[in-house]
Structures are given as structure tokens and as C-alpha cells.
Amino acid sequence: MRSICLQYLLAFGFAFGVISASAPKGKWDSFNFAPSSKTVYPTAIHSTNGSVKNADLLVNNKGAATLSGNGSWLALDFGGEVGGLISLNFDSVTSTSALALSFTESPTFIRPTASDDSSYPAENTTFDGVLRVTAPLPKGHWAQPANALRGGFRYLTLVSNSDAPLTISNVSCAISFMPHVDDLRAYAGYFYTPDDELLTKIWYSGAYTVQTNTVPLNTGRMVPFSPPGSWANNATLGVAGPIIVDGAKRDRAVWPGDMGIAVPTQFVSTNDLIPTRNALSTMFAAINPKTGALPESGPPLSQQGSDTYHAWTLIGTYNYFLYSGDLDWLQTVWANYTKAVAFLEGKVDSTGLMDVTGLRDWARQGGGGYNAEGNAILYKVLTTASELASHVPNTTLSSAWAQNATALKQTFNTAFWLESAGMYRDNATTTLCPQDANSFAVLFNLTLSQSQKTRVSEGLTVFWNDIGPVAPELPDTISPFIAGFEIQAHFEAGNATRALDLIRRTWGYMLATPLSVQSTLLEGFTANGSLAYRWYRGYNNDPSYTSHAHGWSSGPTSALTFYILGLTITAPQGRTWSIAPNVESSLSSAQGGFTTPLGWFGVQWTTSSKVKDVLILQIDTPTGTSGTVKLPSGAVKGASKYVVDGVPTRYADGQAVEIQLRGGKHTVVFQK
Ligand SMILES: *[C@@H]1O[C@H](CO)[C@@H](O)[C@H](O)[C@H]1NC(C)=O
Ligand SMILES: *[C@@H]1O[C@H](CO)[C@@H](O)[C@H](O)[C@H]1NC(C)=O
Ligand SMILES: *[C@@H]1O[C@H](CO)[C@@H](O)[C@H](O)[C@H]1NC(C)=O
Ligand SMILES: *[C@@H]1O[C@H](CO)[C@@H](O)[C@H](O)[C@H]1NC(C)=O
Ligand SMILES: *[C@@H]1O[C@H](CO)[C@@H](O)[C@H](O)[C@H]1NC(C)=O
Ligand SMILES: *[C@@H]1O[C@H](CO)[C@@H](O)[C@H](O)[C@H]1NC(C)=O
Ligand SMILES: *[C@@H]1O[C@H](CO)[C@@H](O)[C@H](O)[C@H]1NC(C)=O
Ligand SMILES: *[C@@H]1O[C@H](CO)[C@@H](O)[C@H](O)[C@H]1NC(C)=O
Ligand SMILES: *[C@@H]1O[C@H](CO)[C@@H](O)[C@H](O)[C@H]1NC(C)=O
Ligand SMILES: *[C@@H]1O[C@H](CO)[C@@H](O)[C@H](O)[C@H]1NC(C)=O
Ligand SMILES: *[C@@H]1O[C@H](CO)[C@@H](O)[C@H](O)[C@H]1NC(C)=O
Ligand SMILES: *[C@@H]1O[C@H](CO)[C@@H](O)[C@H](O)[C@H]1NC(C)=O
């Protein structure tokens, strides 16, 4: 029986033969967006103008091209998002030859006169300008100065700035992100389904996006911003590098809210957590010693005054500890961590709710006073703080925080549940039900019943158009950041079909639209899909300022691992784990996993109504760990027994199943 199962699995190309500290090789590797070398060359010519000879020879470094005449230009396409320093050779120059370089993520802003914006959002879309290499040009090799780094672009336009002909060759970009890693494609995790290429592609797109946001310490955006016509990315970003920032092109600063999505992505894909530790250490080092307030963003931006982003540093501390098991680090920040929790608890008054006064947030409007989003995030802070305290250990503190969480949950429901809407309202003086608080309420388990979860999940779909949810709390905006939490809320509510619908809709749009880079993920966009994200809210109607590689938009990557494979860890490093796959009807199988310091965690499930084995679940976890396989009632149909490693148990159709397992390889087969 067992060997038949294994043969069956091998026929599906199951890859558990390879157990190592990294993901097994397979078909999924062809979806990996990361370049195979840290020196990348243009892969195509996007366009030329004026007198340009042999432009094609610059593709993949085949030869030299000549620009003749002032203003002639050629636009190179690197084939996907890249970031780093350009170098090239000046093969033939005169004393007056001069060159300008302009960079852009979106092809919309390929222009000989300006890059897309990163220093500052200006309505004219041309704040940054070009990088000039003035006469006399050096003969031979030239490299872009480090302070003029562009951290994210797909297109590079080279413009002749004089009448004299100019011959250039050997145009390349030295990738600057992930400075501590040689092989950018060597992931610690993977995800694959044979039934929908888009989902696998989205998983890898999120992983690569976070890689492009993992940067050397001294490559932050300069503050005060570089003057008009320029940019500078040579600022120091924190206490140690490499460090995780919000975006490749900009802001190039630590933003703890963004990490609420980006770090789970990092965990399931590269397991490269040091940049996260460096970012969190940076935030704790910058705590206000008097008040206990944490900054909203890292240096040199160092925005202050955000209760929610303060809270995200605390939630991020839990995520980092859960993924890494780094207790030594937790203890070094513990005094500041507890002070920072107390800062938020100090804002809870006799109403039992936090009065949000630090209003900065992910750009949403409102958010002040007794606000649902802020209090939902506080609930997550308290439940995770309670868990962290049990590891420190400080049991008194652990139970005090747990008690306050329980009380907050009750008060939250009394204050914000709007029975007529079947959703939570933003605050007590509105009937507006926001996307963020409702997603968090389900995801963080503020709901008191399954029926509330179901109604909120259904209610959220009212905001959807063809390309995603238009957030009521930030009109005319689709936020892939908040949508990343919404996906998880639909899974938590038990509707995987709806979660996949949202992933395909919004991430399918981002990867397909010719406005973007078809590799990494947009920071946000308007309800009609235009790039003018936040045009009326701080971004001065500048669509060229929008980032096309923002880790906060990578929500599906961890969601596919945590919910479609159903693989999560429930104790640091995965000493205990849970496998609760969503056997969703549009997929016949899915596989993948991740690596922690304890080893490889892998899951594959395959389903078929045509053969005897209606569901085969293959599990591989490190020796010494233990976990639970969970399938809710209704997850498996048409089976009369399930067989765990050859041992059968009777199964009533539709029954919920919970199986305790030790680490190692296991097969669970549901049979007719
Ligand atoms: C293209 O070149 C022509 C003349 O060579 C010039 O008139 C035109 O403005 C250029 N267009 C752009 C977009 O540079
Ligand atoms: C674009 O607008 C910015 C901000 O208003 C200004 O500083 C800059 O000079 C403008 N650029 C051009 C080329 O007009
Ligand atoms: C090249 O053209 C630009 C824009 O028309 C002009 O400002 C510049 O002076 C010209 N350079 C030379 C060397 O003719
Ligand atoms: C071409 O550029 C690379 C950097 O990408 C440099 O190492 C190499 O020396 C250059 N080749 C020549 C012939 O100058
Ligand atoms: C960064 O580069 C700018 C020039 O673009 C320079 O003025 C500044 O001093 C540099 N800052 C640091 C910290 O090196
Ligand atoms: C904790 O906060 C203090 C300021 O109150 C700061 O000096 C110290 O560096 C912080 N400790 C850590 C580990 O970040
Ligand atoms: C209450 O919520 C509404 C809707 O989001 C918002 O317009 C208002 O500003 C909020 N109140 C406060 C104090 O933030
Ligand atoms: C637990 O934390 C509280 C508050 O920070 C502190 O007063 C107490 O000493 C701690 N207890 C232990 C056992 O560390
Ligand atoms: C729990 O909540 C009460 C009431 O808001 C507060 O006084 C207390 O400090 C909180 N406890 C902790 C450990 O934060
Ligand atoms: C969610 O909260 C309920 C109590 O309202 C509790 O019974 C349940 O265990 C919680 N679920 C999780 C996953 O923590
Ligand atoms: C799940 O979501 C889909 C798509 O939104 C919907 O058609 C279906 O009715 C939902 N299923 C349940 C059980 O609510
Ligand atoms: C899309 O939305 C933006 C922002 O609201 C608006 O400026 C633009 O005109 C819209 N485009 C189309 C084609 O409707």
C-alpha cells in the first residue's frame, strides 16, 4: 500500500527526495525572477530616437552602439526590475561628448529629460531629472557614482548631450540589493501548483520584491531630499546592515508596517532574517526614552507620530522571534519592548479602548480617536506580547497582557460591530466600514463567532471592482498592502475560493499591466488601475513617484504557503507546526515549503475524485519537531477512511480531522 502511494507521488514529480537546507529544485525554479548573476545586462532595446547606430549590440553586451547628435537617445530594457550601479565603456569620445542617464520603473516615464521620481513627488513628474556625465568623458570604463544609485528601475535611457558622436559598450548594472548573498536565486522555500501558473508566478514575484528591498546600510534616500534635478541614495539606514526597507526605488527607509507583510514573505522564501533583525534593532534604538514612543520610520526619515506603526514594530518583534527563535536578541530589546507596549496601553482609557493620537498610518484617512483599525492592531500587539513574555519568561506579564487582550476584544465588539452592515465600523461616529479594520478583525481573531467571520468576508467583497478592493478609508485607491491582509482574512473565514479570487484579480492585474514592471509589485494604484496612487494624499498628483517594488504588496507569497499548503509554525523556528491545507477546488495539487534553522518543512497535496485516493497529503518536517494535521469538516469529500503511514482509520464523509505527528516524513491518504 505504502509503496503504491509513493509511486503515485513520484509520478507527480514530488521532490521530497532532496532534503537540504534549501528548497528542492524543480519546475518552480523557472518562475524565479531573481537574476542568476549580480551583473545584469539589458535584455532588449525598448526604443531609440534620433541617430543611433547598432543599439541592438548593447543587448547582452554584444558590442558597441553609437549615438550621434545632441538629444539622440536609446532606452534599454533590463527585462524586469533591477537596482544598482550602472557601468559602461566609452569607446570613442571627443572632447565635447557628454551623456545623460535617466531611469524609470514604468515604461510610461521613459524620457530623455527625466527619470521617474524618487526624491520628492512633484506634479510635473520630473523632480529627479537625469544623471549627467559631463565633458570631457573619461575614455574607457565608467561607473555610476555610489551616491547616485537608483535602487529600482527597469528601463535606462542613455542620451547624447552634445553634437559629437559617442560610442559606448559594456552597459551593465551591478545589483546592489541582497549584498550579503551571492546566489540570489538560492531560495530556502518554494511554492508550486501545476494548475495555475499565475499563482506560482505571484509567489515568486513577492519573494523577489522583498529581495529588491533588502539593501546595504548606506544606501538610504538622503534627507533632506536631494534638490530638484537630482537624487541621492547614500544615507545611513540604521544600526546595522543589510537592512529591509519599504521599496527598491523609494522610500528606501525602514517602515515597520510594511514589514507586517514583507517579513512573512521573507520567512517563506529566502529565510534571510538578519535584515529584519537589523531593522527592528534600529527602531528600538530610536525609542523616545521619556515617552516610550517608537518612530514611524527608520533614519534618516525618522517620521514620528504613528500609533499603528509603533504597534507594527512590536508585532514585528514577535514575527522575527517566532521565525528565528532568536531569544538572545529578544532579551536585548526586552526593556524597550515592554516600555513601548506600555506606551500604547497608556492610551487605553476608561472606555477600554485606545485613543489613537499618533495619526500617521498607511495613508488611510481618519484613524483618530477610538478607532477600530488601531484597536485591532493593539489587540494583536497584546496577544503576541503575551506569547513573547512566556518565552522571556515573565509569566506575570504574560497573563496581564493576555487579560487585557481579552477585555479589549469584548470592548472592540461592543464599540464597533455594526449589526446592520455585518461589519465593523471605523469609529463610533461613522457608519463607514473600512477595509483595514475588517480584515484585521478576522485575521487577528477579534471576531466572536464564525458567523461574524463569514459576514465580514462577504461584506469586504462589496468594495471590489475588476482589479481589486477600493478602500473606503482611502477613496479611489487599491492598496495591495491592505489587500494582503484581506486575503488572509478570507482564508481565516474559511473561504479559500474568495481569497484566490482576490489574489488573481489584484496581483494578476499588477503583473500584467503594461504600466508596471511585470516582475515586482506596485505600492498601490488607483481604482481604475492608473499609477497615480495617493494622488490627493501626500503624493502631489505625481504618478511617477509610485514605487513598483514594494514589499508590503507581497501578501500572497506567505498566504499561499500558510493557507494553500496550510503550513505554519506554532513555536519558534518550527519546533511545533501545523498543517491545515486549503484543498481549493480550482487546484488539483499544490506543493512547497520552507527552511528554518531546524531544517526543511515541506507539504504536498494532491486530490482527485477519479481514483481511489481522493486526497494524498505528503509531509516532511525535521526530526525532533512535532505538529498537527488539521482538515476542517467538509474539506474532504467521498472518503471512507484515511491512512496515516499505512495505518487506516475510519472516516465519516465531511468529518473534521486532527492528527498529531512527530517530525519526519509522513503520508496521509484519504481513500474511497
Ligand atoms: C526625437 O528626435 C526628434 C529629432 O531627431 C526630435 O524632434 C524629437 O523631439 C525627439 N523626441 C524625443 C521624445 O526625444
Ligand atoms: C518640477 O516641480 C518641482 C516641485 O514643484 C520643482 O522644484 C522643479 O523645478 C520642477 N521641475 C521642472 C523641470 O520644472
Ligand atoms: C543640446 O540640447 C539641449 C536641449 O536642446 C541644449 O540645452 C544644449 O545646449 C545642447 N548642447 C549642445 C552641446 O549643443
Ligand atoms: C565591462 O564592465 C565590467 C563591469 O560590469 C567590468 O568589470 C569590465 O572590466 C568591463 N570590460 C571592459 C573591457 O572594460
Ligand atoms: C551623499 O551624497 C550627496 C551628493 O549627492 C552629498 O552631498 C552628501 O554629503 C552625501 N552624504 C553622505 C552621508 O555621504
Ligand atoms: C533602548 O532605549 C534606550 C533609550 O531609552 C537606548 O539608548 C538603547 O540603545 C535602547 N536599547 C536597544 C537595545 O535598542
Ligand atoms: C471616524 O471615521 C470617519 C470615517 O473613516 C472619519 O471620517 C473620521 O475622521 C473618524 N474620526 C476620527 C476622530 O478620526
Ligand atoms: C516581569 O515584568 C515586570 C514588568 O516589566 C517586572 O516588574 C517584573 O520584575 C518581571 N518579572 C520577572 C520575573 O522578570
Ligand atoms: C492592563 O490594562 C489596565 C487598564 O487599562 C492598565 O492599567 C494596565 O497597565 C494594563 N496592563 C499591562 C500589563 O499593560
Ligand atoms: C479565537 O477566539 C476564540 C474566542 O473568541 C477562541 O475560542 C479561539 O480559540 C481563538 N482562535 C484562535 C485561532 O486563537
Ligand atoms: C466563497 O466565496 C465565493 C466567491 O466570493 C462565493 O461565491 C461563495 O459563496 C463563498 N462560499 C461560502 C461558503 O461562503
Ligand atoms: C483613472 O483615475 C485617475 C485618478 O482618479 C484619473 O485621473 C484618470 O483620469 C482615470 N483614468 C481613466 C482612463 O479614467
Side-chain angles (χ1 to χ4, degrees), residues 39 41 61 87-89 140-141 170 172-173:
T39 303
Y41 296 94
N61 194 22
S87 73
L88 52 79
N89 284 44
H141 196 242
N170 196 25
S172 70
C173 171

Side-chain angles (χ1 to χ4, degrees), residues 472-534:
E473 67 273 33
L474 188 60
D476 198 24
T477 303
I478 294 176
S479 168
F481 173 51
I482 299 304
F485 296 110
E486 185 182 332
I487 290 165
Q488 301 172 61
H490 296 308
F491 278 121
E492 290 290 341
N495 197 329
T497 299
R498 184 174 284 148
L500 291 186
D501 182 348
L502 177 51
I503 291 176
R504 289 172 176 133
R505 209 177 269 254
T506 299
W507 279 263
Y509 173 73
M510 280 192 279
L511 283 176
T513 177
L515 299 175
S516 190
V517 292
Q518 286 118 32
S519 45
T520 52
L521 297 166
L522 275 166
E523 172 184 21
F525 44 99
T526 67
N528 67 18
S530 89
L531 294 179
Y533 172 66
R534 283 182 66 174

Side-chain angles (χ1 to χ4, degrees), residues 70 161-163:
N70 187 13
N161 265 350
S162 82
D163 292 324

